[in-house]
Every structure is written in C-alpha cells, then in structure tokens.
Amino acid sequence: MAGCLVTGATGYIGGRLVPELLAAGHDVRCMVRSAARLRDLPWAGHTEVVEADATDPERTFQALQGVEIAYYLIHAMGTADRFADRDRLAARTFAAAAERAGVRRIVYLGGLTAGERLSPHMRSRAEVGEIFLRAGVPSVVLRAAVIIGSGSASFEMLRYLTERLPIMTTPRWVRSPTQPIAVHDVLRYLVAWAAVPGTVNGGFDIGGPDVLTYADMMHGYASVAGLPARVIIPVPVLTPKLSSLWVGLVTPVPAGIARPLVESMRNEAVCHEHDIARYVPDPEEGLIGFRQAVSLALMRIKEADVATRWSSASTPGAPSDPLPTDPGWAGGSLYIDRRSGPVAASPEALWRVIESIGGENGWYSLPVAWRLRGLLDRLVGGVGLRRGRRDPGRLRVGDSVDFWRVEELLPGRLLRLRAEMRLPGLAWLELGVTVSHGRTFYNQRAIFHPRGLLGHLYWWAISPFHGLIFGRIPINVAAAAARSERSGSGRGR
C-alpha cells in the first residue's frame, strides 16, 4: 500500500480522510503546524506526525520524503487580508518540495464554480489547482461544491439557517444551481486516488446525483429533519457583504467563514463532466443523493448518541459524524444545563439514589413542578408521569421512568434518560457518579437539541425555571445519599 501524507489533518476533510486511509491499509503521515492538536485523537498513534508549515521549503521537503501520495487540503478561508498570496506561496512551495522528494502524485480538493466573476476565495482555489496541474508532479485536482456532512462549513450554514428561520428573506444567490456531494463520496474519491495506477494529471468535477438551488436544499433539509415547510422570499438588495452579516446574526458560523461561502454561492456550481468515473467508477448503488446525505449527517442526533456527539469522546464514527477536531460552532445547536457537587456519602450510596429516581421515589425536586409538567404533557397527547417504573430500585436499558426512557446505564457510574414527553426537540437527563481524591461527586447534565425556531423559544422560555428544577436535584440527591449511607435503603423523595 502507498505511503500517504495528509496536510490539513486537523481540518474537516483531513480529519476524516486519515482514518479512511488507515482503514484502506495505507501508511499515513500527517503534516500539521502543531502536533499537539492531534495528540488526543484515537488514530494519531497509528500515524506519523510531523510539524511543518507549507510555506517552509525545507521542512515541507523533509515531511514529504518517502511519500508516494500527497494530499493537499490547505486553504486560507477565514483568515485576514492577502490570503491569496499565502495560498499561492504555500501551493508553489509544496509542489516544488514534492517534486524534489520524488512524490508520485499530489491530490488537491478545490472548489467547483463556473463563470468569470468568481469570489476571491474561489478564484484562489482555482489558482492553487492550476499551480499543481503545472507542477513537476502529476496532480489530481478534485472540484467539489457544497459538501454535505456534519462539520462542513457549508452544511452547518445550511443547517442553522433552515432550523432557525421558518420564514426568511434571502438574497438572489439562493436561486443559483449547485450540485452538492456527500462527504462519504468525497472521501471515497480521495482514498481511491491513492491506488489508481499511472501518471494522471488533470482536474475532475465531483458532485452528487442532484442539481439543486440553495432554496431547494433548505426545503430538503427541513423535510429530512422533520421541520415544517420553510417560506423563502428572495430579495434583490442583499449584497454578499450584507448577506454574510445576516448569516452571522442568525447562525454561529464566523463571519470570516460565512462571507466567502456566501460570495461563492452567487456562481453556478454544477459538474460539467464526470470523467473521474474512468478512474474511480461509481459504486453499484450509485452516488449518495442530497436527502440521504442530510439523513446521514443527522443520524447521530436521531439515534440520540449524545455521549459521542456532545461530550469529550474522540472515537471516530462515520464520515458524516461530528469529530472532536470540528469547530465549536459545528454540529447544530445544543443547550446544556450542568450541575455537580460533592456528596457526603459513598459512591455506592449515591448510585442507589440515582438508580431509584422517578416513579414513587420522586425526582428530588419540586414535586408540584414535575406533576404540572406531566399534566401538560398528557394534555398534548404525551405519556405524562403515569407510567412510573418497572422496579422501584433497579433499572435496565429500555425501561420507562415516567416520561423518560433509560437510554444508557453504566452501573455505579452513569444513568442517561431520554425524554419521551412532547417537545420541540430532543432532550436527555444524565445523572452520574465520579470519585476524585477519595471524595464522591454527583454530576448532572440536562441536554436539549432544539428542532426549529420553536425549540429555541421553548428552551429560552423555561430557562428561568432551571434553577428551581434542575438546581434542587443535586442538593436533594446528596441529602438522600447521606441518609442512604446511614440506612442502606437509598430511597426517598
């Protein structure tokens, strides 16, 4: 198998490409400016990590020695002025170092655009591609439009705009046709070029099977996410600058990233050829369509795997899943109420209280508030508090606990409950036990993933009451655990 070097391994595509190359049996070297950023990733120990800046000729040459396939995934989006000069210098330096090191092929992922009035960032990407195609090393330039996968800046902007705005006035670029591609297919193309024989030197358009406008994609996202149909009203007065400011107000995508994305969308981004299939044939089942790609990107949330998605976990999943290296604004909105504190009892006593929560044992908070919430849930067709518990002191995965369901149970450590009440979103309640320096600690997280604008309004509306409800649970649970320590029962309100 080929020895591969991946630049930009801390970025969106690079962080997903490395484990795919490893799974395909390739030896992988990661070239990064700071090796510390890869330190905690589970695949880092299976790669060689070298520190180098692509504008440094000697360090880049050293990083490329012994490499057959070099993946160039560097772009200066979101940086200050003169990014095009840095892009040009880095590409030329990398190409020269690759030729000097005897690299067999450079693979570059650029942007897919058409027309003469390209945005500065798209013009720079096109120029980088031309630099590699004219270099002394055979190069493959892949040109992609919107990449669909959690963590992709383009997808995140689509996600936030669609989820947060049921009615929106939009600039004319929402009518520009584009050909989105699933991140799964992008990675399949990238990995395949490590094994394609010969000295191919050329550019290839890559896209999924659907040609859509941005408005079409917002409607499609809303449908897949289970949101009501969006009302989109295009207006001619929003310039790219005003549009990026508007995006910045509505979404957490930084303005330095939103503006080049918005500017690029004024151009058509549709594949004009599919020559890549001569070297990398389409899979038997075909390329992934837009709606399936969105569904894959949202699957982790639908499966409610909050431990992987929203904690410090670092195990990579499917290519469309979020990764720890993704920016903090990626992955969709999430509200978390955290509570923790020491408990004057043993971990076993605290766990007995946690495992017995709900049903006849109560929720260690304001009983009237929980009864009222259960009544409101029943009024709108929910299950309310009437289900209670199967067993007053023991739980297992799948058990119902009032209007919750046990989603995860790690005896003595963690209880995660998924809400089954009627909500404009998904909700979980985590209760856990940790021990530090011989002391017992209670840990609690209330987690809410809103669905649409109503979900955000719901969270903001109930936030003032969190102190009364969630804030009292740790205090009363700690007191019950102390009593349990003395009595050994572990039950109480």
Side-chain angles (χ1 to χ4, degrees):
M1 287 293 181
C4 301
L5 178 131
V6 177
T7 65
T10 58
Y12 173 66
I13 292 294
R16 288 157 172 80
L17 176 60
V18 171
E20 295 292 314
L21 289 170
L22 290 171
H26 298 289
D27 295 326
V28 180
R29 180 184 299 165
C30 298
M31 182 178 122
V32 293
R33 284 184 291 183
S34 173
R37 295 186 62 187
L38 297 180
R39 181 180 54 208
D40 296 328
L41 294 179
W43 47 257
H46 303 286
T47 68
E48 179 185 357
V49 180
V50 296
E51 290 187 338
D53 189 302
T55 61
D56 184 326
E58 192 57 35
R59 295 290 294 272
T60 302
F61 166 68
Q62 293 173 4
L64 286 164
Q65 285 187 315
V67 168
E68 295 179 70
I69 310 295
Y71 289 92
Y72 191 84
L73 305 173
I74 299 173
H75 185 61
M77 177 179 282
T79 60
D81 295 338
R82 303 186 66 82
F83 68 88
D85 291 340
R86 286 194 299 277
D87 276 351
R88 189 180 304 114
L89 174 61
R92 288 173 176 168
T93 302
F94 190 87
E99 182 179 11
R100 181 182 166 198
V103 171
R104 179 167 65 87
R105 174 177 294 149
I106 295 173
V107 182
Y108 169 62
L109 179 62
L112 175 61
T113 57
E116 297 180 355
R117 296 181 57 200
L118 296 180
S119 69
H121 278 268
M122 295 309 297
R123 189 164 54 247
S124 177
R125 288 195 172 191
E127 182 182 7
V128 168
E130 289 300 318
I131 288 172
F132 287 128
L133 292 176
R134 295 194 301 265
V137 176
S139 298
V140 171
V141 175
L142 304 181
R143 297 181 288 257
V146 175
I147 297 177
I148 304 299
S150 187
S152 160
S154 298
F155 177 76
E156 295 301 334
M157 192 171 81
L158 172 70
R159 182 208 302 264
Y160 287 117
L161 288 175
T162 308
E163 289 187 349
R164 296 186 175 186
L165 295 176
I167 302 175
M168 61 189 97
T169 56
T170 57
R172 286 177 294 183
W173 51 258
V174 300
R175 300 301 183 193
S176 299
T178 188
Q179 195 163 346
I181 183 170
V183 66
H184 295 67
D185 284 328
V186 173
L187 294 172
R188 184 178 59 83
Y189 283 131
L190 289 170
V191 172
W193 278 105
V196 172
T199 56
V200 181
N201 189 78
F204 302 91
D205 294 349
I206 59 172
D210 304 311
V211 175
L212 306 165
T213 66
Y214 203 83
D216 292 333
M217 290 193 289
M218 286 191 281
H219 287 307
Y221 180 98
S223 176
V224 174
L227 300 171
R230 272 28 199 163
V231 178
I232 301 173
I233 308 170
V235 294
V237 296
L238 287 175
T239 65
K241 182 176 181 179
L242 289 175
S243 295
S244 63
L245 293 174
W246 168 70
V247 170
L249 287 173
V250 176
T251 82
V253 179
I257 294 176
R259 181 165 184 178
L261 287 176
V262 168
E263 288 176 337
S264 68
M265 288 174 185
R266 67 189 181 196
N267 296 100
E268 176 183 301
V270 177
C271 297
H272 294 284
E273 43 83 10
H274 192 52
D275 296 343
I276 194 170
R278 299 197 326 239
Y279 304 96
V280 184
D282 293 347
E284 291 185 8
E285 65 276 14
L287 298 171
I288 296 173
F290 173 76
R291 286 175 176 255
Q292 183 184 357
V294 172
S295 181
L296 289 169
L298 299 181
M299 188 177 296
R300 186 56 66 85
I301 293 175
K302 291 180 179 179
E303 291 175 349
D305 192 352
V306 292
T308 301
R309 166 57 187 90
W310 288 301
S311 71
S312 59
S314 57
T315 302
S320 56
D321 289 343
L323 291 183
T325 51
D326 290 345
W329 45 263
S333 301
L334 190 77
Y335 297 112
I336 301 178
D337 182 286
R338 289 186 175 89
R339 313 274 173 168
S340 64
V343 177
S346 66
E348 294 77 15
L350 176 57
W351 179 252
R352 286 196 297 270
V353 174
I354 290 175
E355 194 175 8
S356 67
I357 200 165
E360 294 298 320
N361 299 320
W363 288 92
Y364 301 94
S365 186
L366 291 174
V368 65
W370 287 89
R371 286 197 293 270
L372 178 60
R373 186 64 183 88
L375 176 61
L376 291 174
D377 191 53
R378 292 190 63 180
L379 289 176
V380 295
V383 297
L385 297 175
R386 56 186 171 180
R387 296 188 306 189
R389 294 173 51 111
R390 174 188 58 83
D391 183 284
R394 294 287 182 267
L395 290 174
R396 62 191 180 195
V397 173
D399 276 359
S400 61
V401 183
D402 297 327
F403 43 44
W404 303 89
R405 179 78 61 181
V406 178
E407 182 177 86
E408 181 63 273
L409 182 68
L410 303 177
R413 295 167 48 198
L414 175 72
L415 169 64
R416 183 187 306 129
L417 303 171
R418 184 182 73 249
E420 293 189 336
M421 65 191 81
R422 293 297 183 93
L423 291 170
L426 301 171
W428 297 265
L429 180 62
E430 284 187 352
L431 313 175
V433 180
T434 56
V435 178
S436 178
H437 302 291
R439 301 185 68 188
T440 303
F441 286 84
Y442 170 78
N443 305 298
Q444 173 183 300
R445 291 199 308 168
I447 306 164
F448 184 65
H449 174 71
R451 186 176 63 203
L453 181 60
L454 184 60
H456 293 277
L457 295 176
Y458 171 82
W459 179 265
W460 296 332
I462 66 171
S463 291
F465 304 101
H466 284 176
L468 293 174
I469 299 173
F470 296 127
R472 294 174 66 95
I473 295 178
I475 298 171
N476 293 334
V477 164
R483 293 195 301 271
S484 171
E485 185 83 344
R486 295 190 295 269
S487 66
S489 67
R491 300 181 188 176
R493 300 186 71 81

